[in-house]
Each structure stands twice: as structure tokens, then as C-alpha cells.
Amino acid sequence: MVVTGERRLEIVAGLEAARRRISAAESAAGREPGGVELVVVTKTHPADEVAVLADLGVQHVGENRDQEASAKAEQLAGRSLVWHFIGQLQSNKVRSVVRYADVVESVDRPKLVAALSKAALSVRPDHPVRCLVQVCLDDQPGRGGALPDDVPAMADQIAAAPGLELDGVMAVAPLGADPDEAFARLRVVAETVGAAHPGATTVSAGMSGDLEAAVRHGATQVRLGSVVLGYRPPFG
Ligand SMILES: *Cc1c(COP(=O)(O)O)cnc(C)c1O
């Protein structure tokens, strides 16, 4: 699918809007400019639009479905993009995901750590897979994420796992919850993990609707989809 000139301009404007909101949020929070990294969430959007983003200087892209992500990553293999896997991950998809994902943000159970470690060692022994522990902020782990009490042990497990590198934590604010409360809770968990693992400094939090709250509470990375790329058809 070719990206029309009009669509290209929309993407340029969306990216500018996202970057402006991030810098405004940094400055409102009294944080250093440029301290928050942008991951553009490209799920459901075609690889040609990801190529446009890459042309515009985007480095980090996020995807949540293996089948879609692996196809796009293959199509864009010549680009220097950093692929973040941000979706719920089944153990049987792990071998595929570690072929293209530089960062897996949704690590939320011990079995998955073991599977990722084994796959990383076999598929890419020289390049560790960077992992974030996904933290569940509403005590309903069914929707992804480890309960805050279980996070430190999982962080230890990742840090000790060959083929993996512990980068930090990730969370999605629960639907309908106060994002400030949710991200304040995440910050406590992130500090606990960071105290035990000084290299694990990434706090991935904040989406199009709540990035300002996330930046107020210490996010080092935001994952933005709709603000950059616009309407996203719901999954069938
Ligand atoms: C889709 C998605 C996003 C981006 O959401 P927007 O509201 O479009 O910015 C961020 N994080 C995760 C985990 C997602 O699934």
C-alpha cells in the first residue's frame, strides 16, 4: 500500500503533535528536555507508514501481535528501527518474537521468562533481548501484567536469565482509573526494581490519552499510537 502525499502530511503533523506534547509534559514536570523516549505504536498500520515514520527520524516502534509485527519487521529489515513487542505474549510465539524484537515490554510470568531465555539463546545468542516487567496496576492480572508484589522476583529472574537483559518496567493505566494514581503506583514498583538492579532504568508508561500523567510520575518512555497515526480500526 502506497502512502499518499496527504497521508504523509497527516503523519508529519501527528508526529509533531506527539513530540510537542512530550516536551510540554517534560517541562511541566520540571524534567530535563529530551529525557522521555517516544515509541510510536504502529499496530494495524501498514509497513509503508512505518517506513514514513523511519524517514521522519522515528527509531522506536511498538507492535502487539506477532504475526503482524514479524511481517512488518521483515519488510523493513533494511531500516535501523528498534522493535518493541508490547502485547500479551504466548509462550509458543516467543521463538518468532525474538527474531525481530529488540525489546519485549510485556514480560509478566516466570514461564515466559524461561521461554524467552531459551529462545534468545538459540536464535540470537550474541544479542540479548531487552525485557521489561509488565506491571498490573488494577489487581486483575488476567489482562496482562504481574502483580506489583510479584515484580521484584521476576526482575531478579530476568536479570539472571542468559540471553535476556533487564531494562525496567512497563504498565498500562487501568481503564477508567485515575492515571496519576496508577502511575504513582508504578513509580514505587520501578524504584524497588531499580534499587536492586541499577541498570534497569526504563519506565514505559503513558499512551495517547495519559502521557502527561505518566511523565509527571517518572516515565522514561511513552508508547503513542493514535496521537501520531490517527484512527485505528478495532480488531475483529
Ligand atoms: C495500542 C497500545 C498503545 C498505544 O495506544 P494509543 O492510545 O493509540 O496511544 C500503547 N501501549 C500498548 C500496550 C498498546 O497496546
Side-chain angles (χ1 to χ4, degrees):
M1 199 203 303
V2 172
V3 182
T4 62
E6 187 184 6
R7 177 63 179 142
R8 198 186 155 86
L9 289 178
E10 265 175 27
I11 296 173
V12 169
L15 189 59
E16 272 174 11
R19 287 179 171 150
R20 265 198 312 274
R21 271 180 66 188
I22 293 171
S23 3
E26 286 169 344
S27 123
R31 294 180 52 180
E32 180 195 336
V36 175
E37 191 141 67
L38 168 63
V39 176
V40 179
V41 177
T42 49
K43 63 190 184 195
T44 77
H45 295 283
D48 288 339
E49 295 193 357
V50 185
V52 169
L53 290 167
D55 287 342
L56 295 170
V58 169
Q59 233 197 318
H60 297 269
V61 293
E63 288 281 339
N64 70 341
R65 287 186 154 192
D66 171 56
Q67 207 180 357
E68 179 186 345
S70 59
K72 285 185 207 171
E74 192 174 339
Q75 199 176 328
L76 298 169
R79 307 277 185 153
S80 60
L81 287 163
V82 178
W83 294 85
H84 294 240
F85 191 84
I86 62 171
Q88 284 197 27
L89 181 52
Q90 303 306 316
S91 295
N92 64 350
K93 303 281 186 188
V94 155
R95 240 188 117 75
S96 170
V97 166
V98 301
R99 290 185 198 283
Y100 58 86
D102 304 284
V103 188
V104 176
E105 301 206 9
S106 43
V107 183
D108 63 357
R109 53 196 194 281
K111 201 178 147 212
L112 190 53
V113 178
L116 280 163
S117 172
K118 184 166 172 238
L121 281 182
S122 123
V123 172
R124 45 183 292 174
D126 301 328
H127 301 281
V129 177
R130 292 151 57 190
C131 294
L132 304 181
V133 182
Q134 183 177 350
V135 184
C136 166
L137 296 173
D138 64 356
D139 301 313
Q140 293 189 310
R143 292 178 38 227
L147 291 172
D149 284 352
D150 296 334
V151 171
M154 207 166 313
D156 293 347
Q157 190 195 355
I158 294 169
L164 308 183
E165 183 184 295
L166 176 69
D167 265 15
V169 296
M170 176 273 223
V172 177
L175 220 60
D178 174 359
D180 274 290
E181 245 167 65
F183 294 137
R185 203 168 171 207
L186 177 64
R187 175 179 239 160
V188 174
V189 178
E191 283 170 359
T192 306
V193 169
H197 303 279
T201 53
T202 298
V203 181
S204 173
M207 314 188 352
S208 296
D210 57 19
L211 78 90
E212 287 80 6
V215 170
R216 268 197 293 283
H217 295 285
T220 65
Q221 174 194 299
V222 292
R223 307 176 309 271
L224 307 183
S226 50
V227 66
V228 179
L229 292 169
Y231 174 72
R232 186 171 59 230
F235 289 122

